[in-house]
Every structure is written in C-alpha cells, then in structure tokens.
Amino acid sequence: MKRMQSKEDIIKDQYMKTLTCFLQDSTLYDSLSINNQVTVIDQSFSLFDVFNVFIDTHIDEVLFWNPDVAYYDGVFTQTDLIRIILKCYQNILNGVPNVWGNSKIQVQPIMEEEDEDRNTPVNEKQLIGQEQINKLLIDLKTISVRDWFNSYGESLHQSSLVQADMADNLNDAMKKILKQGVTRIVVIDTESRIIVGILQQKDILAFLVKGFSQYFHLQLSQKSHRIEVHHENNQQSEQHELEINYFSDRILQLNDKLPFDTNVYDVFYKLIYVFKRNAIPIVDNNNKYLGLIDRRDFLFILKYQVYDMLNRPAVDLLNFIKIEKKKFAGFCICNKELFHMKQTLKEVVENLLLSSRGSLVCLNENQEPIATLQMSDLFKICLDDIELE
C-alpha cells in the first residue's frame, strides 16, 4: 500500500518540478554575473606571485595559461594553494628541499589523500623559527608554478576543466556538475570558443534566489489552482518556502568539529584530506561553539606572513581573524554565520550567499554545533532531485 504524501512531500514535489522547468528555461549566460571574470596566470609565475593574486583579488581560482599551445591549461584553486603551503612548511621543518630534480628517482609525491585514521605528518613539538620562515619565503618567491608541479610529477591541469557552452541550459550544466562531482564549470562563448567566465555553485544559487520567485509566481498565474500551506500565524507559504528542517536527516550528518587546541596546521590538513570540507566549527572544552575556520582564512596567514600560526592552537587563529575583521565597518551586519532548522530553504540559501565563509553553522539550545552547511551541501539539497534524465 502506497504511503500517503505529507503536505511537505507534495510541496517538495511541486518545487522540484517548477525548479526543473526554470533550469531548462535558463541558460548559463543568464546566470553569469558581472563578477565572473576569468583570472589567468602564466606557468612561469612564482608561487608567491600566485598567492598574492588570490590575496589582492579575493578570487577562488585562477586559470593557467599554457604558452606551448596558446590556450588555458587547468585550474588552480585555494585548495591547491593550501596544499602547497602545507607541503612547503613540512619540508622546511624536516630539512627537505621544496623542489626536487627532474630525475624521476628523486620525485617525491605531493601530499597524498589521507584516511581518517592516519596521523598528519607534522611533528607538533617542532617550531618554525625566523630563519626557517625566511627560507620558506625565499622558496616561495623563486619556485615557479611550472617547477613546482614538474618537481612533484604532477600535471598542471590536475583540476580538470569541465566546460559548457554559454547557450546551454542550466539543467544540462547541472548534469555535468552533479555527475562529475565538480564545484565549478568553465563557460565557453558559442562562436569564438573563448572562455567568458567560470560558473560556480554559489553563482547558480544566487541566480536561483534572484530569478526563481518571479518564475514561480509566473507559473502559478498560469494555473487554475495553487498549493498552499499555512503556518500557525496563518501566513501563506509557497512551495519555495519549504523549511530546511524537511532535509534534517541529511543536514544533521554534517556534524564534524574540532577542539580549540587543535594545531592550525592540522585544522587545514583535516579540512582538505580528512573531512574534505570548506569550513569546520571550533569548540571549547564543553563542546560550545567558538567560531568557524574556513579554507579562505588561510589567506590571512599568507597576507600577514604569520607562518608560525600554523603551529599554534586553532583558537589563536580565530582570535586573529576576529581582530582583523573588526577593521571592516559593517562586516558583522552583513555577514551571516548561523542558521536554524525552522528557516525556509530560501532564507538559508540567501544567508549562505551573505556568508563570508560560504558556510553556516546550526547550534542547539546549549550552543553546541550540530551541523555545518556549505555551498555544495545546499546545492545538492536544492538540485540533487531535479529531473536530470
């Protein structure tokens, strides 16, 4: 016997059908924002120069330019940036050269994927002194992007360029993003075949926030009936206002966190190689929420060259970040960091887009973090059930 659908189930089904139509009626060109400019670097740039591009332009990725073929050759992201610094830091501590010879006998692989049971390769008792920091800076300023990847036997296009035509509809683009497990797609001009922008998950969510409500009401106006749900305060709720609590079974599984005394090196190492997340909540001895550390926060270490921070507890980095962000007027007003289960899906998406970390934390009544929601999580929640076939 088939189970009776709840009001929430019916609303979600209607939401998915309308969303699928919206995506099919929209193109990649429609969702490209004015900020979707492509930043390109040459492979001869030093690692230090590349890091400064990230710091000065506040971007999430750059494209490599390959002069041999006169075309783009791979994506370099903030994750790649962190991996390189962690590896360089480890090498400096252990007295290992940061660039090896071209002989394959000498090639030492860059930090490989780790499982959760394996310890990180840094000795917490080791400290990096000023002499070692100077050596690290010299290496960063003299090692080119090409030399780094060649030395470790890796291809410059280690992050594949998943491409789509700007005239393609968004539904087809979702197929590529969801099936290939990527977070961005390179948009190509139909006629010139030139890259016109990089479309990220956050760009698509922002486009949905701006355009879906209007599209939804337009569809309703063409129908003879509408599905309504009433809250206790008798306010009408539309299908795109489904509470995030409806997806709590998925959200509550996202409950990783780290204690305040975790080594900063280990925080970023675990973010990339263990949790594979963009942000992680930091808690005190009583499991109460202290703050959120995001991969983007690594740029503070690079900007101020406080590499000794990597060997300090996570709470020190949190305090350092708070001091720096207080210098920006109005930051606390516009920035969002928390969400709760009674908020609608639309509200959570909007707050996530306003978050400087690209992540939101849900706390219980004891101020303990019970879930961390990032852009890719919401992307899957909003779009994973659309009609891809």
Side-chain angles (χ1 to χ4, degrees):
M1 184 174 178
K2 191 174 181 180
R3 182 180 68 86
M4 290 288 292
Q5 279 190 309
S6 66
K7 285 185 178 180
E8 288 78 10
D9 292 335
I10 296 173
I11 290 173
K12 196 230 178 180
D13 288 344
Q14 292 293 322
Y15 161 79
M16 287 302 171
K17 290 177 182 177
T18 309
L19 180 57
T20 301
C21 292
F22 175 67
L23 292 172
Q24 290 173 340
D25 289 345
S26 304
T27 67
L28 270 66
Y29 178 79
D30 296 329
S31 55
L32 277 175
S33 72
I34 58 174
N35 297 320
N36 281 118
Q37 298 174 352
V38 179
T39 302
V40 183
I41 60 172
D42 191 272
Q43 298 173 9
S44 62
F45 274 37
S46 73
L47 296 175
F48 191 81
D49 290 336
V50 175
F51 299 158
N52 281 332
V53 170
F54 278 84
I55 293 169
D56 296 337
T57 58
H58 308 285
I59 56 174
D60 294 322
E61 72 279 304
V62 298
L63 292 179
F64 287 124
W65 178 259
N66 187 340
D68 297 331
V69 295
Y71 199 67
Y72 306 102
D73 186 22
V75 181
F76 186 90
T77 67
Q78 288 182 338
T79 299
D80 298 312
L81 179 152
I82 296 172
R83 283 174 174 159
I84 288 176
I85 290 293
L86 292 182
K87 183 61 180 178
C88 286
Y89 181 87
Q90 177 195 356
N91 286 344
I92 291 291
L93 284 179
N94 297 325
V96 177
N98 274 320
V99 172
W100 291 63
N102 292 326
S103 170
K104 296 199 172 183
I105 298 176
Q106 292 180 294
V107 168
Q108 190 181 68
I110 200 166
M111 295 170 68
E112 66 278 3
E113 296 288 327
E114 298 286 339
D115 56 49
E116 296 186 18
D117 298 325
R118 184 170 178 176
N119 293 325
T120 56
V122 108
N123 187 342
E124 293 185 4
K125 295 182 180 179
Q126 289 179 290
L127 294 175
I128 187 166
Q130 189 57 49
E131 182 178 346
Q132 291 169 307
I133 290 177
N134 291 340
K135 174 66 168 64
L136 177 61
L137 288 173
I138 291 172
D139 283 352
L140 295 180
K141 291 179 179 179
T142 55
I143 298 173
S144 71
V145 171
R146 182 189 290 108
D147 290 341
W148 173 268
F149 283 99
N150 287 343
S151 176
Y152 285 90
E154 290 203 347
S155 170
L156 279 169
H157 50 270
Q158 78 285 7
S159 298
S160 59
L161 284 172
V162 179
Q163 302 181 8
D165 194 290
M166 69 177 183
D168 291 347
N169 67 61
L170 273 176
N171 199 62
D172 291 338
M174 295 311 97
K175 293 179 184 180
K176 291 187 177 182
I177 289 178
L178 293 173
K179 289 183 178 180
Q180 298 193 34
V182 296
T183 61
R184 57 181 58 81
I185 194 164
V186 177
V187 183
I188 308 294
D189 179 71
T190 307
E191 296 181 359
S192 67
R193 311 312 297 167
I194 294 175
I195 294 178
V196 295
I198 298 177
L199 194 64
Q200 298 186 23
Q201 291 176 349
K202 65 180 180 181
D203 301 314
I204 297 171
L205 288 176
F207 176 68
L208 291 179
V209 168
K210 290 185 291 184
F212 182 66
S213 293
Q214 293 178 344
Y215 184 88
F216 172 74
H217 287 291
L218 178 63
Q219 294 296 307
L220 282 178
S221 67
Q222 299 173 357
K223 296 180 180 179
S224 59
H225 68 279
R226 61 193 294 168
I227 295 177
E228 296 180 358
V229 175
H230 294 272
H231 294 301
E232 294 179 0
N233 60 5
N234 292 324
Q235 290 182 347
Q236 182 175 284
S237 175
E238 308 289 4
Q239 58 178 259
H240 67 296
E241 293 177 344
L242 189 68
E243 285 186 357
I244 196 73
N245 189 54
Y246 180 81
F247 305 96
S248 61
D249 58 333
R250 298 190 220 177
I251 294 173
L252 293 178
Q253 296 176 15
L254 308 170
N255 58 0
D256 295 317
K257 50 187 173 285
L258 289 172
F260 71 99
D261 56 353
T262 304
N263 186 279
V264 171
Y265 178 100
D266 290 341
V267 170
F268 288 106
Y269 186 93
K270 289 177 179 177
L271 273 178
I272 294 174
Y273 293 103
V274 180
F275 303 135
K276 297 179 174 65
R277 305 282 293 169
N278 289 334
I280 192 76
I282 304 299
V283 297
D284 63 13
N285 282 328
N286 299 315
N287 201 36
K288 288 190 176 182
Y289 179 67
L290 295 176
L292 196 66
I293 290 182
D294 184 82
R295 293 191 189 192
R296 294 172 183 162
D297 296 328
F298 203 89
L299 294 180
F300 282 102
I301 295 175
L302 297 179
K303 181 178 181 179
Y304 297 102
Q305 298 182 18
V306 286
Y307 297 104
D308 61 322
M309 182 69 73
L310 290 170
N311 204 54
R312 290 159 64 178
V315 68
D316 286 0
L317 179 59
L318 275 179
N319 293 332
F320 180 76
I321 293 168
K322 288 177 182 177
I323 292 172
E324 289 304 314
K325 297 214 167 162
K326 282 181 180 178
K327 297 177 182 178
F328 298 94
F331 173 80
C332 294
I333 297 175
C334 66
N335 182 48
K336 304 294 183 180
E337 190 168 302
L338 303 176
F339 78 98
H340 59 82
M341 291 296 183
K342 287 297 181 181
Q343 288 180 304
T344 65
L345 183 61
K346 183 172 182 286
E347 289 174 326
V348 175
V349 172
E350 289 173 341
N351 289 342
L352 188 58
L353 292 169
L354 289 171
S355 169
S356 65
R357 312 291 183 82
S359 300
L360 298 173
V361 179
C362 184
L363 306 179
N364 62 16
E365 61 277 4
N366 297 320
Q367 297 299 298
E368 300 170 338
I370 58 174
T372 306
L373 200 59
Q374 64 187 35
M375 205 71 67
S376 58
D377 302 320
L378 253 239
F379 191 81
K380 290 179 181 178
I381 288 173
C382 290
L383 304 172
D384 213 6
D385 296 323
I386 61 176
E387 299 172 11
L388 291 177
E389 299 301 333

